[in-house]
Every structure is written in structure tokens, then in C-alpha cells.
Coordinates of all heavy atoms in Angstrom, one line a residue:
M1 N -16.7 8.8 5.4 CA -16.8 7.9 4.3 C -16.0 6.6 4.5 O -15.0 6.7 5.3 CB -16.1 8.7 3.0 CG -15.7 7.8 1.9 SD -14.7 8.3 0.6 CE -15.3 7.5 -0.8
K2 N -16.6 5.6 4.1 CA -16.1 4.2 4.4 C -16.3 3.5 3.0 O -17.3 3.5 2.5 CB -16.8 3.6 5.5 CG -16.2 2.3 6.0 CD -16.5 1.8 7.3 CE -18.1 1.8 7.4 NZ -18.4 1.3 8.8
H3 N -15.1 2.8 2.7 CA -15.3 2.0 1.4 C -14.6 0.7 1.6 O -13.4 0.7 2.0 CB -14.7 2.7 0.2 CG -14.6 2.1 -1.1 ND1 -15.7 2.2 -2.0 CD2 -13.7 1.5 -1.8 CE1 -15.6 1.4 -2.9 NE2 -14.1 1.1 -3.0
P4 N -15.3 -0.6 1.4 CA -14.6 -1.7 1.5 C -13.4 -2.0 0.6 O -13.6 -1.7 -0.7 CB -15.8 -2.7 1.4 CG -16.7 -2.0 0.5 CD -16.6 -0.6 0.8
L5 N -12.4 -2.5 1.0 CA -11.3 -2.9 0.2 C -11.1 -4.4 0.0 O -11.1 -4.7 -1.1 CB -9.9 -2.4 0.8 CG -9.7 -0.8 1.0 CD1 -8.5 -0.5 1.9 CD2 -9.5 -0.1 -0.3
I6 N -11.2 -5.2 1.0 CA -11.0 -6.5 0.9 C -11.4 -7.3 2.2 O -11.3 -6.7 3.3 CB -9.4 -6.9 0.5 CG1 -9.3 -8.4 0.2 CG2 -8.5 -6.4 1.7 CD1 -7.8 -8.6 -0.5
K7 N -11.9 -8.6 2.1 CA -12.0 -9.5 3.4 C -10.6 -9.7 3.9 O -9.6 -10.0 3.1 CB -12.7 -10.7 3.0 CG -14.1 -10.5 2.5 CD -14.7 -11.9 2.2 CE -16.2 -11.8 1.8 NZ -16.9 -13.0 1.5
V8 N -10.5 -9.6 5.2 CA -9.3 -9.7 5.8 C -8.7 -11.1 5.6 O -7.4 -11.2 5.3 CB -9.5 -9.4 7.4 CG1 -8.1 -9.9 8.2 CG2 -9.8 -8.0 7.6
D9 N -9.5 -12.1 5.6 CA -9.0 -13.4 5.3 C -8.5 -13.7 3.9 O -8.0 -14.6 3.5 CB -10.0 -14.5 5.7 CG -11.2 -14.5 5.0 OD1 -11.4 -13.8 4.0 OD2 -12.1 -15.2 5.5
E10 N -8.8 -12.7 3.0 CA -8.1 -12.8 1.6 C -6.8 -12.0 1.4 O -6.3 -12.1 0.4 CB -9.1 -12.1 0.6 CG -10.5 -13.0 0.5 CD -11.5 -12.2 -0.5 OE1 -11.4 -11.2 -0.9 OE2 -12.6 -13.0 -0.5
I11 N -6.3 -11.3 2.6 CA -5.1 -10.6 2.5 C -3.9 -11.6 2.7 O -4.1 -12.5 3.8 CB -5.0 -9.6 3.5 CG1 -6.1 -8.6 3.5 CG2 -3.6 -8.9 3.6 CD1 -6.2 -7.6 4.7
P12 N -3.0 -11.8 1.8 CA -1.9 -12.8 1.9 C -1.0 -12.6 3.2 O -0.9 -11.5 3.6 CB -1.1 -12.6 0.7 CG -1.4 -11.3 0.2 CD -2.8 -10.9 0.7
E13 N -0.7 -13.7 3.8 CA 0.2 -13.8 4.9 C 1.6 -13.2 4.5 O 2.3 -12.5 5.2 CB 0.4 -15.1 5.7 CG -1.0 -15.5 6.3 CD -1.5 -14.5 7.4 OE1 -0.6 -14.0 8.1 OE2 -2.6 -14.4 7.5
N14 N 2.0 -13.5 3.3 CA 3.2 -13.0 2.8 C 3.0 -12.4 1.5 O 2.3 -12.7 0.7 CB 4.2 -14.2 2.5 CG 4.6 -14.9 3.8 OD1 5.1 -14.3 4.7 ND2 4.3 -16.2 3.9
G15 N 3.8 -11.3 1.2 CA 3.6 -10.5 0.0 C 2.3 -9.6 0.0 O 1.8 -9.4 1.2
T16 N 1.9 -9.2 -1.3 CA 0.8 -8.2 -1.1 C -0.3 -8.7 -2.3 O 0.0 -9.6 -3.0 CB 1.1 -6.9 -1.5 OG1 1.7 -6.8 -2.9 CG2 2.3 -6.5 -0.7
K17 N -1.5 -8.0 -2.2 CA -2.6 -8.2 -3.2 C -2.9 -6.8 -3.6 O -3.1 -6.0 -2.8 CB -3.6 -9.1 -2.6 CG -4.7 -9.4 -3.6 CD -5.6 -10.5 -2.9 CE -6.7 -11.0 -4.0 NZ -7.6 -11.9 -3.4
L18 N -3.1 -6.8 -4.9 CA -3.6 -5.5 -5.4 C -5.0 -5.5 -5.5 O -5.7 -6.5 -5.9 CB -3.0 -5.3 -6.9 CG -1.5 -4.8 -7.0 CD1 -1.1 -4.9 -8.4 CD2 -1.3 -3.6 -6.5
V19 N -5.6 -4.4 -5.1 CA -7.1 -4.3 -5.2 C -7.4 -2.9 -5.8 O -6.6 -2.0 -5.6 CB -7.9 -4.4 -3.7 CG1 -7.4 -5.7 -3.1 CG2 -7.4 -3.2 -2.8
E20 N -8.6 -2.9 -6.5 CA -8.9 -1.7 -7.1 C -9.5 -0.7 -6.0 O -10.2 -1.1 -5.0 CB -10.1 -2.0 -8.2 CG -10.5 -0.9 -9.0 CD -11.5 0.1 -8.3 OE1 -12.3 -0.5 -7.5 OE2 -11.7 1.1 -8.8
F21 N -9.2 0.7 -6.3 CA -9.7 1.7 -5.4 C -9.9 2.9 -6.2 O -9.0 3.7 -6.6 CB -8.5 1.9 -4.4 CG -8.9 3.1 -3.3 CD1 -9.8 2.8 -2.3 CD2 -8.2 4.2 -3.4 CE1 -10.0 3.8 -1.4 CE2 -8.5 5.2 -2.4 CZ -9.4 4.9 -1.5
F22 N -11.2 3.0 -6.5 CA -11.7 4.3 -7.1 C -11.0 4.5 -8.5 O -10.4 5.6 -8.7 CB -11.7 5.4 -6.4 CG -12.6 5.5 -5.2 CD1 -12.1 5.2 -3.8 CD2 -14.1 5.6 -5.4 CE1 -13.0 5.1 -2.8 CE2 -15.0 5.6 -4.3 CZ -14.4 5.3 -3.0
G23 N -10.7 3.5 -9.1 CA -9.9 3.7 -10.5 C -8.4 3.5 -10.3 O -7.7 3.6 -11.4
R24 N -7.9 3.4 -9.1 CA -6.6 3.3 -9.0 C -6.3 1.9 -8.3 O -7.3 1.1 -8.0 CB -5.9 4.3 -8.1 CG -6.2 5.7 -8.9 CD -5.4 6.8 -8.2 NE -5.6 8.0 -8.9 CZ -4.8 9.1 -8.6 NH1 -3.9 9.1 -7.8 NH2 -5.1 10.1 -9.4
E25 N -5.0 1.6 -7.9 CA -4.8 0.3 -7.3 C -4.1 0.5 -5.9 O -3.3 1.5 -5.7 CB -3.7 -0.4 -8.0 CG -4.3 -1.0 -9.3 CD -3.3 -2.0 -10.1 OE1 -2.2 -1.6 -10.1 OE2 -3.8 -2.9 -10.7
V26 N -4.3 -0.2 -5.0 CA -3.6 -0.2 -3.7 C -3.1 -1.7 -3.4 O -3.7 -2.6 -3.8 CB -4.5 0.3 -2.5 CG1 -5.0 1.7 -2.7 CG2 -5.7 -0.6 -2.2
H27 N -1.9 -1.7 -2.8 CA -1.4 -3.0 -2.3 C -2.1 -3.2 -0.8 O -1.9 -2.3 0.1 CB 0.0 -2.8 -2.1 CG 0.9 -3.0 -3.4 ND1 1.3 -4.1 -3.8 CD2 1.2 -2.0 -4.2 CE1 1.9 -3.9 -5.0 NE2 1.9 -2.7 -5.2
V28 N -2.6 -4.4 -0.7 CA -3.0 -4.8 0.8 C -2.1 -5.8 1.2 O -1.8 -6.6 0.4 CB -4.5 -5.0 0.8 CG1 -5.5 -3.8 0.7 CG2 -4.8 -6.2 -0.1
Y29 N -1.7 -5.8 2.3 CA -0.9 -6.7 2.9 C -0.8 -6.6 4.5 O -1.6 -5.8 5.1 CB 0.7 -6.6 2.4 CG 1.2 -5.3 2.7 CD1 2.3 -5.2 3.6 CD2 0.8 -4.0 2.2 CE1 2.9 -3.9 3.9 CE2 1.5 -2.8 2.4 CZ 2.4 -2.8 3.4 OH 3.0 -1.6 3.8
K30 N 0.0 -7.5 5.2 CA 0.0 -7.5 6.6 C 1.5 -7.3 7.1 O 2.4 -7.8 6.5 CB -0.4 -8.9 7.2 CG -1.9 -9.1 6.9 CD -2.3 -10.4 7.6 CE -3.9 -10.6 7.4 NZ -4.3 -12.0 7.7
T31 N 1.5 -6.5 8.0 CA 2.9 -6.4 8.7 C 2.7 -6.7 10.2 O 1.6 -6.0 10.8 CB 3.6 -4.9 8.6 OG1 2.7 -3.8 8.9 CG2 4.1 -4.7 7.2
N32 N 3.3 -7.5 10.8 CA 3.2 -8.0 12.2 C 1.6 -8.3 12.4 O 1.2 -7.9 13.5 CB 3.6 -6.9 13.1 CG 5.1 -6.4 13.0 OD1 6.0 -7.4 12.7 ND2 5.5 -5.3 12.9
G33 N 1.1 -8.9 11.4 CA -0.3 -9.3 11.6 C -1.3 -8.3 11.4 O -2.5 -8.4 11.4
K34 N -0.9 -7.0 11.2 CA -1.8 -5.9 11.0 C -2.1 -5.5 9.6 O -1.0 -5.4 8.7 CB -1.3 -4.7 11.7 CG -2.1 -3.4 11.7 CD -1.5 -2.3 12.4 CE -2.4 -1.0 12.2 NZ -1.9 0.1 11.7
P35 N -3.3 -5.5 9.1 CA -3.6 -5.2 7.6 C -3.2 -3.7 7.4 O -3.4 -2.8 8.2 CB -5.1 -5.3 7.6 CG -5.6 -5.9 8.8 CD -4.6 -5.6 9.9
R36 N -2.6 -3.5 6.2 CA -2.3 -2.2 5.7 C -2.7 -2.0 4.3 O -2.9 -3.0 3.6 CB -0.7 -2.0 5.7 CG 0.1 -2.6 6.8 CD -0.2 -1.6 8.0 NE 0.2 -0.2 7.8 CZ 1.3 0.4 8.1 NH1 2.3 -0.3 8.5 NH2 1.5 1.7 7.9
A37 N -2.8 -0.8 3.8 CA -3.3 -0.6 2.3 C -2.4 0.7 1.9 O -2.4 1.7 2.6 CB -4.6 -0.3 2.3
V38 N -1.7 0.5 1.0 CA -0.7 1.5 0.5 C -0.9 1.7 -1.1 O -1.2 0.7 -1.8 CB 0.7 1.3 0.7 CG1 1.1 0.1 0.0 CG2 1.6 2.4 0.7
A39 N -1.0 3.1 -1.5 CA -1.2 3.3 -2.9 C -0.1 2.7 -3.7 O 1.2 2.8 -3.3 CB -1.3 4.9 -3.1
N40 N -0.5 2.2 -4.9 CA 0.4 1.5 -5.8 C 1.2 2.6 -6.6 O 1.0 2.6 -7.9 CB -0.2 0.4 -6.6 CG 0.8 -0.2 -7.5 OD1 2.1 -0.4 -7.2 ND2 0.3 -0.8 -8.6
T41 N 1.8 3.5 -6.0 CA 2.4 4.8 -6.7 C 3.7 5.1 -6.1 O 3.8 5.4 -5.0 CB 1.3 5.9 -6.4 OG1 0.0 5.7 -6.9 CG2 1.8 7.1 -7.3
C42 N 4.7 5.0 -6.9 CA 6.1 5.4 -6.5 C 6.1 7.1 -6.3 O 5.4 7.8 -7.0 CB 6.9 5.1 -7.5 SG 8.7 5.5 -7.2
L43 N 6.9 7.3 -5.5 CA 7.0 8.8 -5.1 C 8.0 9.5 -5.9 O 8.3 10.8 -5.7 CB 7.2 9.0 -3.6 CG 6.1 8.5 -2.8 CD1 6.4 8.4 -1.3 CD2 4.8 9.3 -3.1
H44 N 8.5 8.8 -6.9 CA 9.5 9.6 -7.8 C 8.6 10.0 -8.9 O 8.2 11.3 -9.0 CB 10.5 8.5 -8.3 CG 11.5 9.2 -9.3 ND1 11.9 8.5 -10.4 CD2 12.1 10.2 -9.3 CE1 12.8 9.2 -11.1 NE2 13.1 10.3 -10.4
F45 N 8.3 9.3 -9.9 CA 7.4 9.7 -11.0 C 6.0 8.9 -11.1 O 5.3 9.0 -12.1 CB 8.0 9.7 -12.4 CG 9.0 10.8 -12.6 CD1 10.0 10.7 -13.7 CD2 9.1 11.9 -12.0 CE1 10.9 11.5 -13.9 CE2 9.9 12.9 -12.2 CZ 10.9 12.7 -13.2
G46 N 5.6 8.2 -10.1 CA 4.4 7.6 -10.0 C 4.3 6.3 -10.6 O 3.3 5.7 -10.9
G47 N 5.5 5.6 -10.8 CA 5.5 4.3 -11.4 C 4.8 3.2 -10.5 O 4.6 3.5 -9.2
P48 N 4.5 2.0 -11.0 CA 3.9 1.0 -10.2 C 5.0 0.3 -9.4 O 6.1 0.1 -9.8 CB 3.4 0.0 -11.4 CG 4.2 0.2 -12.5 CD 4.6 1.6 -12.5
L49 N 4.4 -0.3 -8.3 CA 5.3 -1.0 -7.2 C 5.0 -2.4 -7.3 O 3.8 -2.8 -7.5 CB 5.1 -0.3 -5.9 CG 5.3 1.2 -5.8 CD1 4.8 1.6 -4.4 CD2 6.7 1.6 -5.9
S50 N 6.1 -3.2 -7.0 CA 5.8 -4.6 -6.8 C 6.5 -5.1 -5.5 O 7.5 -4.3 -5.0 CB 6.3 -5.4 -8.0 OG 7.6 -5.3 -8.1
C51 N 6.1 -6.2 -4.8 CA 6.6 -6.6 -3.6 C 7.7 -7.5 -4.0 O 7.3 -8.6 -4.6 CB 5.6 -7.1 -2.7 SG 6.2 -7.7 -1.2
Q52 N 9.0 -7.3 -3.6 CA 10.0 -8.1 -3.9 C 11.0 -8.2 -2.7 O 11.4 -7.1 -2.3 CB 10.9 -7.6 -5.1 CG 10.0 -7.6 -6.4 CD 10.9 -6.9 -7.5 OE1 12.1 -7.2 -7.5 NE2 10.2 -6.3 -8.5
D53 N 11.3 -9.5 -2.3 CA 12.2 -9.6 -1.2 C 11.9 -8.7 -0.1 O 12.8 -8.2 0.6 CB 13.7 -9.3 -1.7 CG 14.1 -10.2 -2.9 OD1 13.6 -11.5 -2.9 OD2 14.7 -9.7 -3.8
G54 N 10.7 -8.6 0.4 CA 10.2 -8.0 1.6 C 10.3 -6.5 1.4 O 10.4 -5.9 2.5
K55 N 10.3 -5.9 0.2 CA 10.2 -4.5 0.1 C 9.4 -4.1 -1.2 O 9.2 -5.0 -2.0 CB 11.6 -3.9 0.0 CG 12.5 -4.4 -1.0 CD 13.8 -4.0 -0.8 CE 14.7 -4.8 -2.0 NZ 16.1 -4.9 -1.6
F56 N 9.0 -2.9 -1.3 CA 8.5 -2.3 -2.5 C 9.4 -1.9 -3.5 O 10.4 -1.2 -3.2 CB 7.4 -1.3 -2.3 CG 6.1 -1.7 -1.7 CD1 5.8 -1.3 -0.3 CD2 5.2 -2.6 -2.3 CE1 4.7 -1.7 0.4 CE2 4.1 -2.9 -1.6 CZ 3.7 -2.5 -0.3
V57 N 9.4 -2.2 -4.7 CA 10.4 -2.0 -5.8 C 9.6 -1.5 -6.9 O 8.5 -1.9 -7.4 CB 11.1 -3.1 -6.2 CG1 12.1 -2.7 -7.3 CG2 11.8 -3.8 -5.0
C58 N 10.0 -0.1 -7.3 CA 9.3 0.5 -8.5 C 9.9 0.0 -9.8 O 11.1 -0.2 -10.1 CB 9.6 2.0 -8.4 SG 8.9 3.0 -9.8
A59 N 8.9 -0.4 -10.7 CA 9.3 -0.9 -12.1 C 10.0 0.1 -12.9 O 10.7 -0.3 -13.9 CB 8.0 -1.4 -12.8
W60 N 9.8 1.4 -12.7 CA 10.3 2.4 -13.7 C 11.8 2.8 -13.4 O 12.6 2.7 -14.4 CB 9.5 3.6 -13.7 CG 8.3 3.5 -14.3 CD1 7.6 2.4 -14.8 CD2 7.1 4.5 -14.4 NE1 6.4 2.5 -15.2 CE2 6.0 3.8 -14.9 CE3 7.0 5.9 -14.1 CZ2 4.8 4.6 -15.3 CZ3 5.9 6.4 -14.2 CH2 4.8 5.9 -14.8
H61 N 12.3 3.0 -12.3 CA 13.7 3.4 -12.1 C 14.2 2.9 -10.8 O 15.2 3.3 -10.4 CB 13.8 5.0 -12.0 CG 13.0 5.6 -13.1 ND1 11.9 6.4 -12.8 CD2 13.2 5.8 -14.4 CE1 11.3 6.9 -13.8 NE2 12.1 6.7 -14.9
G62 N 13.5 1.9 -10.3 CA 14.1 1.0 -9.2 C 14.1 1.5 -7.8 O 14.8 1.1 -6.8
A63 N 13.3 2.5 -7.5 CA 13.4 3.1 -6.1 C 12.8 1.9 -5.2 O 11.9 1.2 -5.7 CB 12.3 4.2 -6.0
E64 N 13.1 1.9 -4.0 CA 12.8 0.9 -3.2 C 12.1 1.5 -1.8 O 12.7 2.5 -1.3 CB 14.0 -0.1 -2.8 CG 14.5 -0.8 -4.0 CD 15.6 -1.8 -3.6 OE1 16.1 -1.8 -2.4 OE2 16.1 -2.4 -4.5
F65 N 11.1 0.8 -1.2 CA 10.5 1.4 0.0 C 10.3 0.2 1.0 O 10.0 -0.9 0.5 CB 9.1 2.0 -0.4 CG 9.3 3.2 -1.5 CD1 9.1 2.8 -2.9 CD2 9.4 4.5 -1.0 CE1 9.3 3.8 -3.8 CE2 9.5 5.5 -1.9 CZ 9.5 5.2 -3.4
A66 N 10.3 0.6 2.1 CA 10.1 -0.4 3.2 C 8.5 -0.8 3.4 O 7.7 0.0 3.3 CB 10.5 0.1 4.5
L67 N 8.3 -2.1 3.5 CA 7.0 -2.6 3.8 C 6.4 -2.0 5.0 O 5.2 -1.8 5.2 CB 6.9 -4.2 3.8 CG 6.9 -4.9 2.4 CD1 6.9 -6.4 2.7 CD2 5.9 -4.4 1.4
E68 N 7.2 -2.0 6.1 CA 6.8 -1.7 7.4 C 6.1 -0.3 7.5 O 5.1 -0.2 8.1 CB 7.9 -1.8 8.5 CG 8.4 -3.3 8.6 CD 9.3 -3.7 7.4 OE1 9.8 -2.8 6.6 OE2 9.6 -5.0 7.3
D69 N 6.9 0.7 7.0 CA 6.4 2.0 7.0 C 6.4 2.9 5.8 O 6.1 4.1 5.8 CB 7.1 2.8 8.2 CG 8.6 2.9 7.8 OD1 9.1 2.5 6.7 OD2 9.3 3.5 8.6
G70 N 6.7 2.2 4.7 CA 6.7 2.8 3.4 C 7.7 3.9 3.2 O 7.8 4.6 2.2
S71 N 8.7 3.9 4.0 CA 9.9 4.9 3.9 C 10.8 4.4 2.8 O 11.0 3.3 2.4 CB 10.6 5.0 5.2 OG 11.1 3.8 5.5
R72 N 11.3 5.4 2.1 CA 12.2 5.2 0.9 C 13.6 4.5 1.5 O 14.2 5.0 2.5 CB 12.6 6.5 0.2 CG 13.7 6.4 -0.9 CD 14.2 7.8 -1.1 NE 15.5 7.7 -1.9 CZ 16.7 7.6 -1.4 NH1 17.0 7.5 -0.1 NH2 17.8 7.6 -2.3
L73 N 14.0 3.6 0.8 CA 15.2 2.6 1.2 C 16.4 3.1 0.2 O 17.3 3.4 0.8 CB 14.9 1.2 1.1 CG 13.9 0.7 2.0 CD1 13.7 -0.8 1.7 CD2 14.3 0.8 3.4
Q74 N 16.0 3.2 -0.9 CA 17.0 3.8 -2.0 C 16.4 4.0 -3.2 O 15.2 3.7 -3.5 CB 18.1 2.6 -2.2 CG 17.7 1.3 -2.8 CD 18.9 0.3 -2.9 OE1 19.9 0.6 -2.4 NE2 18.7 -0.8 -3.6
G75 N 17.1 4.6 -4.3 CA 16.6 5.1 -5.5 C 16.3 6.5 -5.6 O 16.6 7.2 -4.7
P76 N 15.8 6.9 -6.7 CA 15.7 8.3 -7.1 C 14.4 9.0 -6.3 O 14.2 10.3 -6.6 CB 15.5 8.2 -8.6 CG 14.7 6.8 -8.8 CD 15.4 6.0 -7.9
A77 N 13.6 8.3 -5.6 CA 12.5 9.1 -4.9 C 13.2 9.9 -3.9 O 14.3 9.6 -3.3 CB 11.4 8.0 -4.3
P78 N 12.6 11.0 -3.4 CA 13.1 11.9 -2.5 C 13.6 11.1 -1.2 O 12.8 10.1 -0.7 CB 12.0 12.9 -2.1 CG 11.2 12.8 -3.4 CD 11.2 11.5 -4.0
S79 N 14.7 11.4 -0.5 CA 15.3 10.6 0.5 C 14.3 10.6 1.7 O 14.4 9.5 2.5 CB 16.6 11.2 0.9 OG 16.5 12.5 1.5
N80 N 13.6 11.5 2.0 CA 12.7 11.3 3.3 C 11.2 11.1 2.9 O 10.3 11.4 3.7 CB 12.7 12.7 4.1 CG 12.2 13.9 3.2 OD1 12.0 13.8 2.0 ND2 12.2 15.1 4.0
S81 N 11.1 10.5 1.6 CA 9.6 10.4 1.2 C 9.1 8.9 1.8 O 9.9 8.2 2.3 CB 9.6 10.3 -0.3 OG 10.3 9.3 -0.8
R82 N 7.8 9.0 1.8 CA 7.1 7.8 2.5 C 5.8 7.4 1.6 O 5.2 8.4 1.3 CB 6.7 8.2 3.8 CG 6.1 7.1 4.7 CD 5.9 7.4 6.1 NE 7.1 7.9 6.7 CZ 7.8 7.3 7.7 NH1 7.5 6.0 7.8 NH2 8.8 7.8 8.1
L83 N 5.7 6.3 1.3 CA 4.5 5.8 0.5 C 3.2 6.2 1.2 O 3.2 6.6 2.3 CB 4.5 4.3 0.3 CG 5.7 3.7 -0.6 CD1 5.5 2.1 -0.8 CD2 5.7 4.4 -1.9
M84 N 2.2 6.4 0.3 CA 0.9 6.9 0.8 C -0.1 5.7 1.3 O -0.6 4.9 0.5 CB 0.2 7.6 -0.4 CG 1.0 8.9 -0.9 SD 0.3 9.7 -2.3 CE 0.8 8.6 -3.6
F85 N -0.1 5.7 2.6 CA -1.0 4.8 3.2 C -2.4 5.2 3.3 O -2.6 6.4 3.7 CB -0.4 4.4 4.6 CG 0.7 3.5 4.6 CD1 2.0 3.9 4.6 CD2 0.6 2.1 4.6 CE1 3.2 3.1 4.6 CE2 1.7 1.1 4.5 CZ 2.8 1.7 4.6
L86 N -3.3 4.4 3.1 CA -4.8 4.7 3.5 C -5.1 4.6 4.8 O -4.7 3.6 5.5 CB -5.6 3.8 2.4 CG -5.9 4.2 1.0 CD1 -4.6 4.0 0.3 CD2 -6.9 3.2 0.4
S87 N -5.9 5.5 5.4 CA -6.4 5.2 6.7 C -7.5 4.1 6.6 O -8.3 4.0 5.6 CB -7.1 6.5 7.1 OG -8.1 7.0 6.4
T88 N -7.4 3.2 7.5 CA -8.2 1.9 7.4 C -8.9 1.6 8.6 O -8.3 2.0 9.8 CB -7.5 0.7 6.8 OG1 -6.4 0.5 7.6 CG2 -7.1 1.0 5.3
V89 N -9.9 0.8 8.7 CA -10.5 0.2 9.8 C -11.1 -1.2 9.5 O -11.4 -1.5 8.3 CB -11.6 1.1 10.4 CG1 -12.8 1.1 9.4 CG2 -12.1 0.5 11.8
V90 N -10.9 -2.2 10.4 CA -11.4 -3.5 10.1 C -12.8 -3.6 10.8 O -12.9 -3.2 12.0 CB -10.5 -4.7 10.7 CG1 -11.1 -6.0 10.5 CG2 -9.1 -4.6 9.9
E91 N -13.9 -4.0 10.1 CA -15.1 -4.2 10.7 C -15.7 -5.3 10.1 O -15.8 -5.6 8.7 CB -16.1 -2.9 10.4 CG -15.6 -1.7 11.3 CD -16.7 -0.6 10.9 OE1 -17.6 -0.7 10.0 OE2 -16.5 0.4 11.5
D92 N -16.2 -6.2 10.9 CA -16.9 -7.5 10.3 C -16.0 -8.3 9.4 O -16.5 -8.8 8.3 CB -18.2 -7.2 9.8 CG -19.2 -6.5 10.7 OD1 -19.1 -6.8 11.9 OD2 -20.0 -5.5 10.2
G93 N -14.7 -8.4 9.7 CA -13.8 -9.1 8.9 C -13.4 -8.5 7.4 O -12.9 -9.1 6.7
V94 N -13.8 -7.3 7.4 CA -13.6 -6.5 6.2 C -12.6 -5.4 6.4 O -12.9 -4.6 7.4 CB -14.7 -6.1 5.4 CG1 -14.5 -5.2 4.2 CG2 -15.7 -7.2 5.1
L95 N -11.5 -5.1 5.6 CA -10.7 -3.9 5.6 C -11.2 -3.0 4.9 O -11.6 -3.0 3.7 CB -9.2 -4.4 5.2 CG -8.2 -3.2 5.3 CD1 -7.8 -2.7 6.6 CD2 -7.0 -3.6 4.4
N96 N -11.5 -1.9 5.6 CA -12.2 -0.7 4.9 C -11.4 0.5 4.8 O -10.6 0.8 5.9 CB -13.6 -0.1 5.7 CG -14.6 -1.3 5.6 OD1 -15.3 -1.3 4.7 ND2 -14.6 -2.1 6.7
Y97 N -11.4 1.3 3.7 CA -10.8 2.6 3.7 C -11.7 3.5 4.5 O -13.0 3.3 4.4 CB -10.8 3.2 2.3 CG -10.6 4.7 2.1 CD1 -9.2 5.1 2.4 CD2 -11.6 5.4 1.7 CE1 -9.0 6.5 2.3 CE2 -11.4 6.8 1.5 CZ -10.2 7.3 1.9 OH -9.9 8.6 1.8
I98 N -11.3 4.3 5.3 CA -12.2 5.3 6.1 C -11.6 6.8 6.0 O -10.5 6.9 6.0 CB -12.2 4.7 7.6 CG1 -13.3 5.5 8.2 CG2 -10.9 4.9 8.3 CD1 -13.8 4.8 9.6
W99 N -12.5 7.7 6.0 CA -12.1 9.1 6.0 C -13.1 9.9 6.6 O -14.3 9.8 6.3 CB -11.8 9.5 4.5 CG -11.4 11.0 4.5 CD1 -12.0 12.1 4.2 CD2 -10.0 11.3 4.7 NE1 -11.3 13.3 4.2 CE2 -10.0 12.6 4.5 CE3 -8.8 10.6 4.9 CZ2 -8.9 13.4 4.7 CZ3 -7.7 11.5 5.1 CH2 -7.7 12.8 5.0
G100 N -12.8 10.6 7.6 CA -13.6 11.6 8.2 C -14.7 11.0 9.1 O -15.7 11.7 9.3
E101 N -14.7 9.8 9.6 CA -15.7 9.2 10.4 C -15.1 9.0 11.8 O -13.9 9.0 12.1 CB -16.1 7.9 9.9 CG -16.8 8.0 8.6 CD -17.5 6.8 8.2 OE1 -17.8 5.9 9.0 OE2 -18.0 6.7 7.2
Ligands
FES201 S1 8.9 6.4 -10.9 FE1 9.6 5.1 -9.4 S2 11.6 5.2 -9.4 FE2 11.0 6.6 -10.8

């Protein structure tokens, strides 16, 4: 399965952009020039995340996660938790979700 998320040239150089993904949202962004896509879902109770000061911050209870690898930095999410990254591939200038190909 392959599903287009966004044109690579529409991904911001700084911060993130939210895109729709089968009725949910994912943050797309770049780390070290590499496009990434991560579910907009906190690993505590599923709250929404925003990109603030170079990290993801949950609006509900303040958990923080690293942009680089999604690891929990602080807050009430489990200490060894990591945000849910989508497997992706870039083809013809488009970032695609990919599964099982
Ligand atoms: S739901 Fe995100 S910190 Fe509680």
C-alpha cells in the first residue's frame, strides 16, 4: 500500500505541517534534511501535539517529545515511549506513506 502525504517541496524547513491521513493527522517535517511523518498523537492519553522550540509538546498535559526520534523528553507519557512514525518513501518529489511493498 502506498498513499501520498505531501509534495516534498511543501514540507517546511523549520517546524512542521499537519496533513490529513485517513481521518487522522500527521506532522510532516524535516530533520537533517530528511522528510519525516509522525502521528499527531501523544503517547499519554492521545492528545494533540504542536511543534514548539524544536520539540513536540502535548496540549493536554504537557508531555514533550524529541523531533529527531520521537522519544519522550519529559511529562506524563511513559519514560521509554516514542512517537509513532509512519514508514515513508519519496517518489517523484512526493512523500508517500508505504506499507508492505
Ligand atoms: S495526553 Fe499528552 S500529556 Fe497527557
Side-chain angles (χ1 to χ4, degrees):
M1 164 187 212
K2 189 163 55 180
H3 181 76
L5 294 171
I6 189 171
K7 292 180 180 174
V8 171
D9 63 9
E10 294 176 356
I11 302 173
E13 292 300 322
N14 297 299
T16 71
K17 184 170 185 175
L18 282 171
V19 300
E20 188 274 339
F21 180 68
F22 295 104
R24 300 197 178 187
E25 290 181 328
V26 298
H27 286 271
V28 293
Y29 62 106
K30 292 180 181 173
T31 51
N32 300 320
K34 181 176 180 237
R36 314 285 310 262
V38 69
N40 185 21
T41 305
C42 177
L43 297 172
H44 181 221
F45 283 161
L49 305 167
S50 61
C51 179
Q52 300 176 25
D53 301 325
K55 59 196 172 195
F56 286 112
V57 180
C58 178
W60 287 0
H61 316 106
E64 297 181 358
F65 302 88
L67 284 180
E68 293 76 17
D69 63 1
S71 60
R72 172 198 170 270
L73 299 172
Q74 63 179 12
S79 61
N80 60 352
S81 59
R82 188 177 301 264
L83 295 176
M84 295 176 282
F85 283 91
L86 278 62
S87 56
T88 57
V89 64
V90 174
E91 286 183 359
D92 300 325
V94 175
L95 181 67
N96 295 277
Y97 166 72
I98 190 166
W99 185 259
E101 293 194 15

